[in-house]
Amino acid sequence: MTTNVLTGHATTAPGSRSRFAIDVRDFLTQRPRQLPSRYLYDDLGSALFEAICRLPWYPLTRAELRLLETHAPEILNAGVTTVIELGSGSGAKLSALIAAAGSGRGRLDVHLVDVSKSALSQASGALESFENVRILTHETTYEIGLEESVLPRPFPGRRLALFLGSNIGNFDPPGRDAFLGSVRTALDAGDGFLLGVDLVKPERDLLLAYDDPLGVTAAFNRNLLARINRELQGNIDLDDFTHHVLWNEGRSRIEMHLRSRRRQRIRIREADLDFVMAEGEMIWTESSYKYDPPEIGSMLERSGFSVRAQWIDAAGGFALTLAEAV
Ligand code: AVJ
């Protein structure tokens, strides 16, 4: 791996295998077979995810937006001068928050951190009409973007880091604690952290949210195989895999899998893979951990935050927790 001197981003030298190819090889040869969920978001996958957010069976996005709009003046109070959004996506939530915060707010530096260039340009566009808002983009991982965002402190005031959309649900508990620890380390005492988390709810509601009757989530999941075919010269027949969702109650997580309909041989040229999958064998593609409101408070407190407010949207089963670094 080399680094592009202009952008600072990791690039792959010609002839060497891409990070995607290496990960596909490593994860598909593990037992159980798996693929990292971050690879669900190529251009088509991101568009399918945006469609999921509009599905009546996936209430997360609308519930979070209602909470942000209702509590905006408290979240974005006059003391906040820097906002850092980790995983900004389209920027729709942040622009709703800024709009609803009203006129009490002074000038703001907004740092957008996302691995997707198209997400950053969309989010910048969504925010550019606000007065007294300066937009800075970081096309990189959460951790690196956070470190870059806290370097300048051009004017006094508190920072507010945002981690929305229940993206924290993709981390397993050790990864989650490591992530929360790195957020705390990057911030100063007194800075804020706003966390959006999907709550445990009846199993049938959870299953509908991840296995919708229109099949959009199934397309989102199976697109990962299409991406492997496109980018890594795989020979996978998409019809041979079905979308399989289960609620793992012991671990409090929704799991998304791709289930092989029959015994089949799979070849992925660029990942140097050639293997056989048994009928019924699965590839695990995503975990979405669900929490109860008090658990969210305790994981924040264990990581060096103190909870200032917690708001719950009962209809959507979603919580927004505002914490302060101590
Ligand atoms: C963006 C990771 C929060 O886990 O609910 C939606 C992704 N996966 N439907 C989630 C997703 C299937 C989503 N996150």
Side-chain angles (χ1 to χ4, degrees):
M1 193 102 79
T2 56
T3 300
N4 180 312
V5 286
L6 290 176
T7 63
H9 301 135
T11 57
T12 304
S16 82
R17 219 164 252 142
S18 68
R19 185 74 246 170
F20 183 37
I22 293 165
D23 284 341
V24 164
R25 188 182 160 79
D26 285 355
F27 284 83
L28 271 186
T29 51
Q30 283 180 40
R31 295 306 163 102
R33 297 189 195 279
Q34 47 199 281
L35 288 166
S37 60
R38 63 177 171 280
Y39 292 116
L40 291 164
Y41 303 91
D42 62 349
D43 280 352
L44 179 53
S46 301
L48 288 166
F49 176 66
E50 292 290 328
I52 288 172
C53 294
R54 298 173 187 219
L55 295 174
W57 308 278
Y58 190 81
L60 284 73
T61 317
R62 288 177 300 274
E64 188 170 47
L65 210 47
R66 287 194 288 270
L67 291 170
L68 287 169
E69 286 176 335
T70 308
H71 303 287
E74 200 173 333
I75 295 166
L76 210 56
N77 60 49
V80 176
T81 54
T82 301
V83 171
I84 304 162
E85 183 168 18
L86 304 171
S88 52
S90 70
K93 290 172 191 170
L94 185 51
S95 61
L97 177 68
I98 295 175
S103 53
R105 160 188 77 75
R107 56 194 283 211
L108 265 189
D109 263 6
V110 171
H111 295 263
L112 304 172
V113 179
D114 208 295
V115 287
S116 156
K117 194 197 267 323
S118 62
L120 288 172
S121 61
Q122 218 190 324
S124 306
L127 297 169
E128 74 192 357
S129 58
F130 289 108
E131 269 177 51
N132 291 325
V133 172
R134 179 165 69 151
I135 303 155
L136 303 106
T137 61
H138 307 264
E139 188 188 335
T140 181
T141 61
Y142 299 141
E143 279 84 357
I144 295 172
L146 192 58
E147 282 170 24
E148 290 175 359
S149 304
V150 295
L151 288 176
R153 220 193 233 288
F155 39 88
R158 289 188 296 105
R159 301 184 181 101
L160 174 68
L162 309 177
F163 196 48
L164 302 177
S166 206
N167 283 331
I168 198 155
N170 281 160
F171 289 111
D172 62 10
R176 172 202 71 201
D177 290 341
F179 171 76
L180 291 176
S182 69
V183 174
R184 174 60 193 88
T185 303
L187 298 177
D188 291 335
D191 286 343
F193 180 44
L194 184 71
L195 183 62
V197 182
D198 196 28
L199 301 175
V200 176
K201 47 181 78 66
E203 181 170 355
R204 63 172 187 285
D205 296 342
L206 287 167
L207 293 176
L208 262 179
Y210 290 85
D211 194 4
D212 63 90
L214 285 176
V216 182
T217 312
F220 173 67
N221 194 12
R222 292 160 85 229
N223 174 57
L224 186 45
L225 299 175
R227 179 179 184 181
I228 289 174
N229 285 348
R230 278 193 301 270
E231 294 182 23
L232 304 178
Q233 304 199 56
N235 74 336
I236 308 168
D237 187 341
L238 299 200
D239 288 338
D240 286 341
F241 282 92
T242 55
H243 175 62
H244 184 73
V245 170
L246 63 95
W247 168 240
N248 182 332
E249 188 173 8
R251 301 254 163 128
S252 195
R253 69 186 184 211
I254 281 281
E255 295 176 11
M256 221 168 60
H257 299 264
L258 291 158
R259 185 177 184 279
S260 178
R261 282 177 189 272
R262 57 174 184 87
R263 184 184 162 81
Q264 57 177 310
R265 180 171 172 195
I266 295 192
R267 270 158 292 190
I268 304 169
R269 175 120 55 93
E270 293 290 316
D272 196 20
L273 270 179
D274 185 338
F275 63 98
V276 171
M277 279 189 73
E279 181 184 338
E281 200 183 332
M282 307 220 269
I283 302 171
W284 181 11
T285 51
E286 189 183 47
S287 294
S288 275
Y289 285 81
K290 306 298 171 186
Y291 292 93
D292 288 322
E295 288 179 305
I296 302 166
S298 21
M299 73 198 193
L300 284 164
E301 307 261 340
R302 277 201 310 276
S303 300
F305 293 96
S306 156
V307 173
R308 289 283 166 259
Q310 186 169 62
W311 303 289
I312 289 164
D313 184 282
F318 197 91
L320 211 48
T321 307
L322 181 62
E324 187 180 311
V326 285

